Amino acid sequence: MHCKQWIFDMDGTLTDSMVVVWEGAPEALLARFGRTPKADLHETLLTMGMEDGAQYLIREYALPLDRNGYLDVMREVIAQLYEKVELKPGVRDTLARLRAEGARMCICSNTWSSQCRAVLTRLGIDEYFDFYIEARGAMSKSSPAPFMEALHRLGGTSPAGCAVCEDAIYAAQTAHDAGFYLVGIQDVSSAADAPALRRVCDQFLPDWTALDWAQV
C-alpha cells in the first residue's frame, strides 16, 4: 500500500448524509416556523453558498430570525437530522484495514468539526481519525490549502502518497490538480457529476466494498 495518509470527506463519502441532512435541513427549518417550501427550493439553494442561502430563506419566507438566530436554529435542525445518518457500505471494514496497515487518517469536511465528531463517535469510527479540519473560508476545498495542511499534519510530504476521498466534483478536481491519489465515492446527491468524477479519480467506487487495495 503506497498511500500512507488518508484524507476523508464525511458527508456523502463516509456517511449517507447528503440527502438526509443537507437537502432536508432547509425544509425542516421552515417547518419549525410553519412555512411551506416552494417546489424549487432545493434547486434554488444549490446555486447559493451557505450565507446567501441563509439570507434567501430569511427573506423569502419571512422568518423571524437574524443571521445569528438562523445559524443557531439551523445547527439544532442539522444535529437532529444527523441522528438518522448511517455509514455507507464497507466504511467500517475499510478503516479497520487501513489502520492495520499503518495508515494515518483525518477528516476534512465542510461540516463543523464538533458535528462531525459527534456523528462519527455515535457511529463508532471517531477513533480512526487523528484530527478534523473544517474546510471553510480560506480553507475551502476550492483551494488545495486544506488538503496540503492535512497531508503535513498526517506526516506526509508527497500528495501522490496521500489518498483524498471525496464525493463532490469541485473538491475532487482540486485534489486531482494538486497531485493527490483520488478516491471518488458515488452518491445519489451528486449523480449528475458521476462522469466528471470518474474522469479525475484514480478509483471511482459505488461504495467502499469495491476499493481495489492493490492500487492504493
Side-chain angles (χ1 to χ4, degrees):
M1 189 174 77
H2 72 274
C3 290
K4 293 299 185 181
Q5 298 85 38
W6 287 68
I7 303 169
F8 290 91
D9 174 54
M10 184 179 80
D11 298 296
T13 299
L14 295 177
T15 61
D16 62 357
S17 44
M18 286 303 298
V19 172
V20 174
V21 177
W22 295 106
E23 292 185 18
E27 293 186 6
L29 182 141
L30 291 175
R32 283 196 174 198
F33 295 93
R35 308 300 198 262
T36 301
K38 298 177 181 180
D40 64 348
L41 175 63
H42 177 57
E43 289 72 18
T44 300
L45 292 176
L46 277 178
T47 68
M48 304 177 182
M50 292 186 71
E51 186 69 31
D52 289 341
Q55 293 302 322
Y56 170 81
L57 290 171
I58 292 170
R59 180 182 67 253
E60 192 69 18
Y61 292 90
L63 297 177
L65 299 169
D66 60 14
R67 178 183 178 276
N68 290 334
Y70 171 90
L71 292 175
D72 289 342
V73 175
M74 182 58 89
R75 284 199 177 212
E76 291 178 9
V77 167
I78 287 171
Q80 290 179 351
L81 291 174
Y82 266 120
E83 292 298 319
K84 305 175 184 178
V85 163
E86 297 297 337
L87 293 175
K88 287 196 160 188
V91 167
R92 205 178 303 277
D93 290 344
T94 298
L95 297 178
R97 180 167 175 178
L98 285 172
R99 170 173 283 182
E101 298 202 15
R104 293 186 64 192
M105 297 169 270
C106 72
I107 296 291
C108 182
S109 172
N110 296 342
T111 301
W112 54 96
S113 295
S114 60
Q115 181 63 72
C116 289
R117 184 173 286 107
V119 173
L120 300 185
T121 297
R122 176 178 66 81
L123 295 172
I125 61 170
D126 168 71
E127 64 176 292
Y128 290 107
F129 304 108
D130 288 7
F131 54 85
Y132 292 72
I133 288 177
E134 289 187 13
R136 296 170 177 269
M139 293 294 281
S140 164
K141 294 181 189 179
S142 296
S143 158
F147 299 123
M148 294 305 297
E149 176 174 326
L151 169 65
H152 295 146
R153 288 178 65 182
L154 289 170
T157 56
S158 170
C162 176
V164 169
C165 308
E166 280 285 347
D167 67 303
I169 181 59
Y170 84 98
Q173 186 69 59
T174 299
H176 168 80
D177 292 347
F180 288 87
Y181 186 90
L182 188 58
V183 179
I185 301 295
Q186 188 171 334
D187 190 74
V188 63
S189 69
S190 55
D193 294 328
L197 274 166
R198 194 179 300 275
R199 284 194 294 271
V200 300
C201 289
D202 295 283
Q203 293 192 52
F204 183 63
L205 313 177
D207 61 54
W208 285 100
T209 64
L211 181 67
D212 184 349
W213 288 92
Q215 300 302 313
V216 298

